[in-house]
């Protein structure tokens, strides 16, 4: 056994891909405890530490639903079950209030958050491996390493590879499905069609938007396969029967896991919610040609910032190489699948949801690495003088991308909320009343001996509770009656009430939700007066993003956002 293990480790040490994955893992471990320990996470819209428990409770409850599908919740529940059972055993009773009060303690929540982040870390490494395997399926061996290296330097994948969101898990299953489909086509192996279908079902059962990766790409690549390669035509019966059985089985498995069969009314409500307020209310562009043009322009700006223009040119060049190589018709068709998946996601999700957040551009950025690897391999295979110039270009592009990846880690390690917490520890006295606003993901951790109150106009039952925080449903401007000593608020969150623009600026137009917030004249007057030093409060401290050699990276509305602390004047 020891000899076998030593042989495996020696083989891994000789494989450059293992070193790429090791470096990627080390980078992601840097921010693993970002904002922890705590009773909730700073990763906005994170599936852990709390939402996966809610998904398990609601998905199969007749008439109920949760925003996301339950597959990843089931996966997270396996390592979380012993700790969840311990929390239930120590709750004052099994009444919902007592269970929530116990299980939202920082110790339990930190464990759930770390488990989810470690799972995302492993899946992000799986995505990097998949990208390398895709490149190897259609290009020389060296393209595998170059494509995997490019994926390891994807800024969004670095962030979400250490957060608790669902974007890495669904992309992991999607990449595995695309890889299986590419191998089925390139190797004329119909058994892999089963793998592709079931893995695609797993992707959609993890996060619904995965449908957009496959909706156009798989039908298009199958049509191309039959048109360009005579093998599927000669074996049409076998291929069509396998496709039909695999697609039907995958659809049934997806509907069963997603609760559509056991909780059809809840499933229908969830689909109505996803296609209605969950997407339409947050659309950042107009449903016009001008809106789509601005959407594409913002996509180009994002890629230019994170990957740099040379990497985009490399992706285009790699796609050209994939299109122009037609000696092996099966491999040629397979080589087009990542590009078709990029097109499918852009048309079926970005153009429909009208959003270009970093997480909604990650499929395009990751899959483009297949072609970046192919183009990089071609450059290095040129005669020596030109290969040296190509290698210099590749090194510059890699260093640029690494610069932004390290900036993500620096932003996590130097999050402004850490500075806000240190300031409060030095200035807040026991019993001081602190008022705050906004969701959990935007807030620092407050001193335990202070009296914390969170104010808002929404239904108290809809808020994600925080232990020790008194939830108040009051108008913001009833401040005099509450009279806190300090007010602590995320400047990004407050900006919804003070500036008539979207959170990321650029060519985006405000969503319906943002328009409604800015249209609240009473709240707008309150926050503008607070910002400008009125209401009897002064700006005592601003915890701003740290300056230095790393660019100021903002991802998903929670990373690197400033915290303003106001103090009541005498």
């Amino acid at each position: 056994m020891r000899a076998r293990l030593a042989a495996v480790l020696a083989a891994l040490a000789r494989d450059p891909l293992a070193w790429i994955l090791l470096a990627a893992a080390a980078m992601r471990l840097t921010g693993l405890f970002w904002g922890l320990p705590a009773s909730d996470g700073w990763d906005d819209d994170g599936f852990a530490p709390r939402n996966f428990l809610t998904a398990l409770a609601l998905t199969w409850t007749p008439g109920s639903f949760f925003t996301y599908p339950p597959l990843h919740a089931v996966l997270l529940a396996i390592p979380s079950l012993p700790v969840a059972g311990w929390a239930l055993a120590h709750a004052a009773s099994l009444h919902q209030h007592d269970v929530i009060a116990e299980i939202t303690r920082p110790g339990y929540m930190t464990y759930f958050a770390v488990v989810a982040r470690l799972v995302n870390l492993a899946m992000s490494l799986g995505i990097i491996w998949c990208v390398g395997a895709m490149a190897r399926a259609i290009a020389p061996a060296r393209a595998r390493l170059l494509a995997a290296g490019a994926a390891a330097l994807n800024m969004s994948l670095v962030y979400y590879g250490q957060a608790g969101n669902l974007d890495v898990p669904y992309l992991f299953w999607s990449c595995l499905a695309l890889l299986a489909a590419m191998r089925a086509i390139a190797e004329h192996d119909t058994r892999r069609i089963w793998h592709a279908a079931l893995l695609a079902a797993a992707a959609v059962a993890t996060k619904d938007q995965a449908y957009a990766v496959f909706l156009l790409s798989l039908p298009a690549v199958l049509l191309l396969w039959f048109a360009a390669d005579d093998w599927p035509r000669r074996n049409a019966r076998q291929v069509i029967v396998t496709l039909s059985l695999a697609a039907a089985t995958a659809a049934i498995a997806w509907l069963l896991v997603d609760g559509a069969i056991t909780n059809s009314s809840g499933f229908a409500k969830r689909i109505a919610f996803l296609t209605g307020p969950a997407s339409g209310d947050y659309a950042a562009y107009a449903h016009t040609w001008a809106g789509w043009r601005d959407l594409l322009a913002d996509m180009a700006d994002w890629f230019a910032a994170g990957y740099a223009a040379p990497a985009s040119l490399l992706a285009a060049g790699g796609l050209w190489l994939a299109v122009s190589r037609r000696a092996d018709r099966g491999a040629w068709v397979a080589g087009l699948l990542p590009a078709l998946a990029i097109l499918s996601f852009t048309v079926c999700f970005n153009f429909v949801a009208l959003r270009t957040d970093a997480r909604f551009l990650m499929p395009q950025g990751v899959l483009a690495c297949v072609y970046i690897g192919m183009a990089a391999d071609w450059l290095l295979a040129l005669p020596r003088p030109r290969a040296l110039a190509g290698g210099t270009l590749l090194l510059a592009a890699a260093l640029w991308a690494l610069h932004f990846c390290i900036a993500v880690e620096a932003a996590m390690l130097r999050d402004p909320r850490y500075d806000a917490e240190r300031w409060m520890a030095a200035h807040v006295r026991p019993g001081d009343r602190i008022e705050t606003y906004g969701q959990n993901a935007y807030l620092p951790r407050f001193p335990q001996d202070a009296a914390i109150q969170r104010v808002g106009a929404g239904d108290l039952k809809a808020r994600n509770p925080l232990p020790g925080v008194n939830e108040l449903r009051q108008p913001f401007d009833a401040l005099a009656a509450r009279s806190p000593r300090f007010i602590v608020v995320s400047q990004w969150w407050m900006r919804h009430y003070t500036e008539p623009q979207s959170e990321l600026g650029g060519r985006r137009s405000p969503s319906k939700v943002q328009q409604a917030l800015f249209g609240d004249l009473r709240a707008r007057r309150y926050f503008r007066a607070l910002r400008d030093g009125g209401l009897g409060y002064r700006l005592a401290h601003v915890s701003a993003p740290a300056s230095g050699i790393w660019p100021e990276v903002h991802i998903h509305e929670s990373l690197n956002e400033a915290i303003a602390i106001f103090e009541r004047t005498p």
Side-chain angles (χ1 to χ4, degrees):
M1 181 73 75
R2 287 197 299 269
R4 191 174 301 168
L5 179 60
V8 170
L9 292 176
L12 288 175
R14 292 191 299 269
D15 187 355
L17 180 59
W19 291 101
I20 291 174
L21 295 175
L22 182 62
M27 183 178 295
R28 284 151 177 77
L29 284 170
T30 305
L32 186 66
F33 287 92
W34 174 52
L36 299 176
S39 59
D40 204 350
W42 285 352
D43 30 5
D44 191 13
D45 202 23
F47 198 53
R50 300 188 179 187
N51 286 345
F52 82 98
L53 297 171
T54 309
L56 289 172
L58 296 181
T59 297
W60 297 288
T61 301
S64 300
F65 73 94
F66 187 68
T67 306
Y68 300 118
L71 180 60
H72 199 62
V74 174
L75 295 180
L76 294 181
I78 296 171
S80 301
L81 190 59
V83 174
W86 182 269
L88 288 175
H90 286 77
S93 74
L94 293 181
H95 187 275
Q96 183 180 13
H97 178 272
D98 291 331
V99 170
I100 292 175
E102 179 65 27
I103 207 166
T104 54
R105 291 179 181 272
Y108 302 124
M109 291 290 102
T110 298
Y111 175 81
F112 296 148
V114 170
V115 165
R117 292 180 183 186
L118 286 173
V119 170
N120 272 22
L121 188 155
M123 287 184 165
S124 73
L125 300 183
I127 290 171
I128 295 169
W129 177 87
C130 277
V131 168
M134 288 181 196
R136 182 65 186 93
I138 56 175
R142 184 170 54 187
R144 163 179 171 257
L145 300 177
L146 296 167
L153 293 174
N154 183 287
M155 179 176 66
S156 300
L157 188 58
V158 168
Y159 171 79
Y160 287 105
Q162 54 198 315
N165 303 75
L166 285 173
D167 301 275
V168 160
Y170 96 79
L171 189 56
F172 168 73
W173 297 116
S174 298
C175 287
L176 284 176
L178 294 173
L179 175 60
M182 290 175 67
R183 287 177 169 173
I185 293 169
E187 300 170 11
H188 298 155
D189 185 355
T190 54
R191 292 173 302 175
R192 295 189 184 274
I193 293 175
W194 281 94
H195 303 161
L198 293 173
L199 289 165
V204 180
T206 299
K207 195 173 187 184
D208 298 276
Q209 71 191 51
Y211 82 90
V213 175
F214 310 108
L215 189 60
L216 298 181
S217 62
L218 290 184
V221 81
L222 290 172
L223 289 174
L224 278 174
W225 190 28
F226 273 87
D229 191 351
D230 64 349
W231 187 89
R233 295 196 297 271
R234 286 188 283 106
N235 298 273
R237 177 182 175 82
Q238 177 188 356
V239 173
I240 291 173
V241 169
T242 303
L243 279 171
S244 302
L245 290 176
T249 303
I252 293 172
W254 165 62
L255 292 172
L256 183 62
V257 171
D258 228 5
I261 296 175
T262 57
N263 180 19
S264 57
S265 61
F267 179 79
K269 291 177 182 177
R270 187 168 73 84
I271 297 302
F273 172 73
L274 292 174
T275 56
S279 56
D281 288 355
Y282 292 90
Y285 303 87
H287 270 289
T288 63
W289 287 107
W292 292 336
R293 177 200 64 207
D294 291 344
L295 183 151
L296 290 173
D298 281 346
M299 287 178 64
D301 287 348
W302 176 259
F303 288 123
Y307 259 158
S312 300
L313 294 175
L314 286 170
L319 178 58
W320 173 254
L321 290 173
V323 170
S324 60
R325 292 178 179 175
R326 301 194 182 189
D328 184 334
R329 291 306 180 95
W332 176 73
V333 174
L336 299 179
L337 183 54
L340 292 171
I342 290 172
L343 178 64
S344 179
F345 193 84
T346 302
V347 172
C348 298
F349 183 81
N350 297 115
F351 277 20
V352 172
L354 295 171
R355 299 184 68 179
T356 55
D357 307 38
R359 53 184 169 151
F360 301 141
L361 299 180
M362 193 160 57
Q364 294 94 320
V366 166
L367 293 174
C369 294
V370 176
Y371 303 111
I372 291 176
M374 293 179 65
D377 175 73
W378 179 83
L379 281 176
L380 295 178
L382 292 172
R384 187 173 182 83
R386 284 182 286 175
L388 183 60
T392 302
L393 171 65
L394 294 177
L395 180 60
L399 290 176
W400 179 269
L402 179 62
H403 185 61
F404 276 87
C405 291
I406 295 177
V408 171
E409 304 303 332
M412 286 184 164
L413 293 176
R414 303 186 297 176
D415 192 292
R417 281 169 286 198
Y418 291 132
D419 177 74
E421 291 169 0
R422 288 190 294 267
W423 191 94
M424 287 189 288
H427 294 83
V428 175
R429 299 188 299 263
D432 278 347
R433 186 177 302 167
I434 301 175
E435 180 160 304
T436 192
Y437 317 105
Q439 293 93 317
N440 297 0
Y442 307 145
L443 303 177
R445 295 164 294 184
F446 295 100
Q448 294 185 356
D449 53 2
I452 316 301
Q453 59 190 30
R454 178 162 51 179
V455 178
D459 186 355
L460 295 182
K461 293 181 179 179
R463 295 188 196 175
N464 214 339
L466 283 171
V469 174
N470 183 27
E471 303 287 357
L472 301 178
R473 184 179 184 181
Q474 294 182 8
F476 294 118
D477 56 7
L479 181 64
R482 299 188 299 267
S483 189
R485 183 185 173 196
F486 296 102
I487 297 175
V488 179
V489 60
S490 163
Q491 287 192 338
W492 177 87
W493 182 89
M494 187 168 63
R495 218 167 69 204
H496 286 316
Y497 293 96
T498 59
E499 299 178 20
Q501 61 183 37
S502 66
E503 66 269 27
L504 294 181
R507 283 167 282 266
R508 297 175 175 222
S509 57
S511 67
K512 292 180 180 178
V513 171
Q514 293 161 344
Q515 291 175 25
L517 292 175
F518 188 73
D520 186 343
L521 297 180
R522 188 173 173 181
R524 192 199 308 178
R525 285 194 295 267
Y526 169 76
F527 282 108
R528 284 186 170 178
L530 179 65
R531 178 197 63 186
D532 296 337
L535 307 179
Y537 285 79
R538 67 178 184 89
L539 182 60
H541 183 72
V542 174
S543 298
S547 59
I549 63 173
W550 310 115
E552 189 176 306
V553 177
H554 298 269
I555 297 179
H556 209 154
E557 303 139 12
S558 184
L559 182 67
N560 236 7
E561 301 299 339
I563 299 292
I565 302 177
F566 300 88
E567 184 177 12
R568 188 178 63 236
T569 56

